[in-house]
Amino acid sequence: MGTVMITRTPGVEIPHPLPIGCPPDLPVGCTTSLAQPSETEPESGQPRGTLLPTPNGSELSQAFGSPWPETPERSPCVAGVIPVVYYSILLGLGLPVNLLTTVALARLAARTRKASYYYLLALTASDIVTQVVIVFVGFLLQGAVLARQVPQAVVRTANILEFAANHASVWIAVLLTIDRYSALCHPLHHRATSSPGRTHRAIAFVLGAALLTGIPFYWWLDVWRDADPPSTMDEVLKWAHCLIVYFIPCGVFLVANLAIIYRLRRRGQSGLRPWVGKSTAILLGVTTLFALLWAPRIFVMLYHLYVAPVYRDWRVHLALDVANMVAMLNTAVNFGLYCFVSRTFRATVREVIHNAHLPCTLGSRPVGTAAEPVLKPPGLPKGTEL
């Protein structure tokens, strides 16, 4: 076989394959030809080429001392179908578990009439609304099924419901924190002022305030589609979201939990047993999980606002996808925490499951077969009729 020699003709560009990371439609910043050789050629006579910029190549740009030109192309979704599978599993498992939790907490609240059970019941109901509105309608229906091809008015109306449900869930946890702080640090005042009616009014106030604070988020911009620099309204809404959902509640959690722990330590140092109730243990677990699971989303949101937008950088896009998945996990983990801490809650859950299974067992009997009475009159000889 012969050898094919390729000679370079001056002025003629040599075709070159696409650089790594460039999509087939050739966004701005990618090129299909080598750069023109410099005036001084190497002694070997081979043409000298320059490295071609690739999208999101900040590491290479730092190595060469100059930033790459930004590409207006939309950042790809690196996660693929993983978020869809994750949210489907989360909704399929979390929604039934939260419904079971709601029934169990409703029974405990009706029996004991304790404020903590009412707050946990409202918290679980808010988590159910969050799963339906944010996970199902927002991520699965709008994002996966309809591919965000939804009228703008519908999307913005859904934004109000999503943020309202989010605010309600967080601030009901704040109510639970204040209630436990009052019960441990000011027990006499708590006993004098605590009542089911007062608890119901506090929950109703928080739900109404959550709906009102969700209205301004009608103008929330979609971070996946926002290609323009953030406006003043966008910056205000982003900071309002971070403050209402994370920074202010976490400040309340930190101060109240530190006061509770300090009170328990003082009780232990004075010779008394530092008794920690089930409600207090649940409070510490709920607030700690919330602070840990929501921290990545808040960090990525501020990073998107001031450093690199989600629209332009696939790494920020991926980080926001992962942060959202971690944050939504907070709506499904409380059931495990309640079961781990409270023996009463576990017994109530078993009771609910048993009562739900019993009608199915009785309904599966053959026609004409009657169940024997549980209690039989004692002392009656055989053959004697009542």
Side-chain angles (χ1 to χ4, degrees):
M1 297 178 62
T3 302
V4 178
M5 300 294 295
I6 299 177
T7 59
R8 180 180 181 276
T9 304
V12 179
E13 294 182 343
I14 302 175
H16 188 73
L18 291 177
I20 299 175
C22 291
D25 51 354
L26 296 179
V28 176
C30 298
T31 179
T32 57
S33 62
L34 288 173
Q36 294 294 333
S38 60
E39 294 180 358
T40 305
E41 296 286 350
E43 295 179 358
S44 60
Q46 297 296 327
R48 176 182 298 175
T50 59
L51 289 175
L52 297 176
T54 59
N56 304 318
S58 59
E59 290 87 354
L60 292 176
S61 64
Q62 294 175 1
F64 283 87
S66 62
W68 297 116
E70 293 186 356
T71 169
E73 290 298 320
R74 183 177 177 180
S75 61
C77 182
V78 182
V81 298
I82 294 178
V84 178
V85 176
Y86 172 83
Y87 288 127
S88 300
I89 296 174
L90 181 66
L91 190 65
L93 296 179
L95 193 57
V97 165
N98 281 336
L99 291 174
L100 177 61
T101 306
T102 302
V103 177
L105 290 174
R107 292 192 178 188
L108 290 173
R111 292 173 187 172
T112 62
R113 301 180 68 83
K114 288 184 178 180
S116 57
Y117 285 126
Y118 287 111
Y119 290 134
L120 291 177
L121 177 60
L123 177 62
T124 307
S126 300
D127 288 340
I128 292 175
V129 176
T130 301
Q131 287 180 335
V132 172
V133 175
I134 297 181
V135 176
F136 176 70
V137 177
F139 289 120
L140 293 179
L141 188 59
Q142 292 184 13
V145 178
L146 301 178
R148 301 189 180 273
Q149 301 300 322
V150 185
Q152 193 69 16
V154 177
V155 174
R156 293 190 171 186
T157 303
N159 285 343
I160 297 177
L161 299 178
E162 292 175 3
F163 284 98
N166 202 353
H167 297 171
S169 178
V170 174
W171 282 90
I172 287 174
V174 172
L175 284 182
L176 176 63
T177 304
I178 296 174
D179 177 77
R180 287 296 87 202
Y181 168 79
S182 176
L184 289 174
C185 299
H186 307 282
L188 297 179
H189 180 267
H190 181 265
R191 291 175 185 174
T193 58
S194 179
S195 65
R198 183 185 180 92
T199 303
H200 294 161
R201 288 192 296 270
I203 293 174
F205 174 78
V206 167
L207 295 179
L211 184 59
L212 290 177
T213 55
I215 293 176
F217 292 91
Y218 179 87
W219 292 274
W220 177 272
L221 295 179
D222 188 356
V223 294
W224 283 280
R225 292 171 174 260
D226 185 16
D228 299 326
S231 62
T232 303
M233 173 66 74
D234 187 36
E235 191 170 355
V236 168
L237 289 178
K238 294 292 192 302
W239 268 107
H241 171 65
C242 295
L243 289 173
I244 294 174
V245 172
Y246 192 77
F247 290 122
I248 296 178
C250 283
V252 176
F253 296 155
L254 179 63
V255 173
N257 290 341
L258 287 178
I260 291 173
I261 294 173
Y262 176 73
R263 183 60 178 262
L264 294 176
R265 289 185 62 183
R266 283 188 57 187
R267 183 180 297 178
Q269 292 174 357
S270 62
L272 299 176
R273 181 182 177 184
W275 179 73
V276 180
K278 304 299 182 183
S279 299
T280 305
I282 289 176
L283 167 67
L284 297 176
V286 167
T287 54
T288 303
L289 285 174
F290 169 80
L292 293 177
L293 294 178
W294 269 85
R297 172 177 166 82
I298 301 302
F299 174 79
V300 174
M301 190 62 61
L302 295 178
Y303 191 88
H304 157 79
L305 193 61
Y306 291 108
V307 181
V310 174
Y311 188 91
R312 303 280 181 117
D313 196 332
W314 67 267
R315 290 162 297 189
V316 186
H317 192 150
L318 177 62
L320 185 59
D321 285 336
V322 175
N324 286 334
M325 290 190 288
V326 173
M328 288 299 103
L329 182 63
N330 186 63
T331 63
V333 296
N334 289 339
F335 173 79
L337 177 65
Y338 302 159
C339 290
F340 178 76
V341 172
S342 176
R343 182 182 303 174
T344 304
F345 180 79
R346 293 196 299 268
T348 308
V349 168
R350 285 195 297 267
E351 178 186 341
V352 171
I353 296 175
H354 176 73
N355 292 345
H357 180 69
L358 186 59
C360 299
T361 305
L362 294 177
S364 62
R365 292 177 178 272
V367 178
T369 303
E372 296 183 0
V374 178
L375 297 178
K376 297 181 181 180
L380 293 179
K382 293 183 179 181
T384 305
E385 295 181 0
L386 292 177

